[in-house]
Amino acid sequence: MKEIQDDSRKNETLTDFFLLGLFPELQYISILITSILLVYIIAFTGNAILILLIWVDSHLHTPMYILLSHLSLTDLALISTTVPKMAINFFSGKKNISKVACGTQIFFFFALGGGECLLLTLMSYDRYVAICNPLRYTVIMNPRVCLQMALVSWGGGALNSLFNTIYTMHFPFCGSREIHHFFCEMPAVLKLSCEDTSLYEMVVSVICIVFVLLPLGLIMASYMLIFLTVLHMNSPEGRRKALAVCSSHLAVVSLYYGPAMIIYMTPHSFHTLEQDEILSMINTIFTPMLNPLIYSLRNKEVLGALRKAMNRRFILS
């Protein structure tokens, strides 16, 4: 019985991948990992507070804030897909990850990443309707449409990810099983395959056009129309408020789309493994931390809801 268990463990080890982690040759890597854990705590807390505020405060039950709560939920899940496993591997000294766990990580990473691309596009449409067609805003962006938008972002991301995960993990892996990354990122995993993956990589480029370039084009078109409308506004206060909301959204878009386009839409020879890791850190670790800060610090409604919640807690205590 013991021999059978030992054999099964050996077989599991043979099929496991090994995550080399962030910059394995860096001298003070422990300081970096500790800093990332601090960023994770800030991101988790910030997004959780923003979700709670939006769902508790009735004044924030508008399409813009409901979509924002879904963005925070996506960011919270996205950063939780990569950082905890990376930290556990580092502090335990174990670098292995099973094939099933690796496939699961790829699925959630792509599902949440693709969903966020769609969600940011739908959020820009919401702002376009609110600023360019304010009289019909409540008719166009009714609760049913808002729910459908959220379902499209989650469902679209999941379907795209399911295809990519199944196809990536069906390739045979031979030779080295060392993944030069801090999580199971698809391009890093494909490099371990002993089959030619160039055709599939071309398919991924086409998928990126659908999930990255097309949404980015729609976002930029929306904001061009918004900018032209804002220029013709008579109210300085209305102009200032519109620009504040839109600049926050554009900041988030640039932080998210920039690294994604470089990683997935440029030839691998154009960027090193270390550059990929830095871009992935921006995309999956720092952006989820910055999103709630960007949206809340420049938003009077969110700050007002936060003050109200803190005053209520102070009174109750």
Side-chain angles (χ1 to χ4, degrees):
M1 186 70 179
K2 189 177 179 182
E3 288 178 2
I4 294 171
Q5 287 178 346
D6 290 340
D7 288 341
S8 65
R9 282 174 187 168
K10 281 182 182 178
N11 290 333
E12 284 177 9
T13 306
L14 289 171
T15 57
D16 282 358
F17 294 105
F18 295 90
L19 293 167
L20 296 185
L22 272 173
F23 316 117
E25 296 178 1
L26 190 66
Q27 189 175 359
Y28 300 106
I29 187 65
S30 58
I31 297 173
L32 178 62
I33 300 297
T34 305
S35 302
I36 288 172
L37 275 176
L38 181 62
V39 169
Y40 174 72
I41 293 167
I42 294 169
F44 194 97
T45 306
N47 282 293
I49 289 172
L50 194 55
I51 293 167
L52 190 62
L53 283 175
I54 291 169
W55 288 102
V56 167
D57 195 312
S58 59
H59 293 97
L60 300 180
H61 291 177
T62 61
M64 183 180 85
Y65 290 112
I66 290 170
L67 292 174
L68 180 55
S69 71
H70 283 277
L71 180 66
S72 286
L73 184 59
T74 304
D75 282 336
L76 196 151
L78 183 62
I79 196 170
S80 297
T81 301
T82 57
V83 174
K85 178 61 179 172
M86 178 191 69
I88 290 167
N89 281 10
F90 177 77
F91 288 110
S92 67
K94 296 178 180 178
K95 297 183 178 181
N96 63 305
I97 182 171
S98 68
K99 191 174 181 180
V100 172
C102 189
T104 304
Q105 199 174 50
I106 290 173
F107 172 77
F108 280 107
F109 179 78
F110 264 87
L112 296 164
E116 187 152 338
C117 285
L118 295 174
L119 189 57
L120 289 170
T121 309
L122 296 170
M123 288 174 73
S124 70
Y125 174 73
D126 170 74
R127 290 301 84 208
Y128 162 74
V129 176
I131 294 169
C132 300
N133 202 352
L135 297 177
R136 296 196 62 215
Y137 179 71
T138 53
V139 176
I140 297 172
M141 293 298 297
N142 58 65
R144 184 184 172 188
V145 170
C146 195
L147 177 62
Q148 288 172 345
M149 284 181 164
L151 291 174
V152 164
S153 65
W154 288 99
L159 286 173
N160 166 56
S161 182
L162 189 63
F163 165 76
N164 279 295
T165 305
I166 291 171
Y167 211 81
T168 298
M169 300 310 289
H170 100 282
F171 284 109
F173 299 99
C174 46
S176 173
R177 287 182 169 267
E178 293 181 344
I179 299 173
H180 290 265
H181 221 293
F182 62 94
F183 70 99
C184 285
E185 194 218 20
M186 188 187 67
V189 173
L190 285 175
K191 287 178 182 178
L192 305 180
S193 174
C194 36
E195 281 190 8
D196 182 19
T197 60
S198 56
L199 180 62
Y200 174 57
E201 287 174 14
M202 286 177 63
V203 173
V204 171
S205 297
V206 174
I207 292 171
C208 284
I209 291 172
V210 175
F211 275 86
V212 179
L213 279 188
L214 183 59
L216 184 60
L218 292 171
I219 289 169
M220 297 312 295
S222 297
Y223 281 104
M224 283 294 294
L225 294 170
I226 288 169
F227 183 69
L228 292 172
T229 303
V230 168
L231 287 177
H232 293 92
M233 280 184 176
N234 295 321
S235 168
E237 179 64 23
R239 192 184 302 128
R240 186 200 61 76
K241 186 178 178 181
L243 287 174
V245 172
C246 294
S247 61
S248 298
H249 190 190
L250 282 173
V252 171
V253 167
S254 60
L255 280 170
Y256 186 78
Y257 277 91
M261 288 175 68
I262 296 171
I263 294 170
Y264 296 105
M265 299 197 69
T266 58
H268 296 308
S269 56
F270 280 44
H271 39 93
T272 63
L273 293 169
E274 289 77 15
Q275 288 170 341
D276 279 350
E277 288 186 4
I278 292 169
L279 291 168
S280 293
M281 282 174 62
I282 295 169
N283 214 1
T284 63
I285 298 172
F286 294 107
T287 303
M289 179 195 69
L290 292 171
N291 280 359
L293 297 176
I294 290 169
Y295 278 109
S296 60
L297 291 177
R298 299 196 64 182
N299 195 304
K300 287 182 178 179
E301 286 88 353
V302 174
L303 290 174
L306 182 60
R307 288 193 201 98
K308 194 190 300 181
M310 289 176 70
N311 290 335
R312 190 182 302 147
R313 184 181 174 185
F314 178 75
I315 292 166
L316 289 172
S317 62

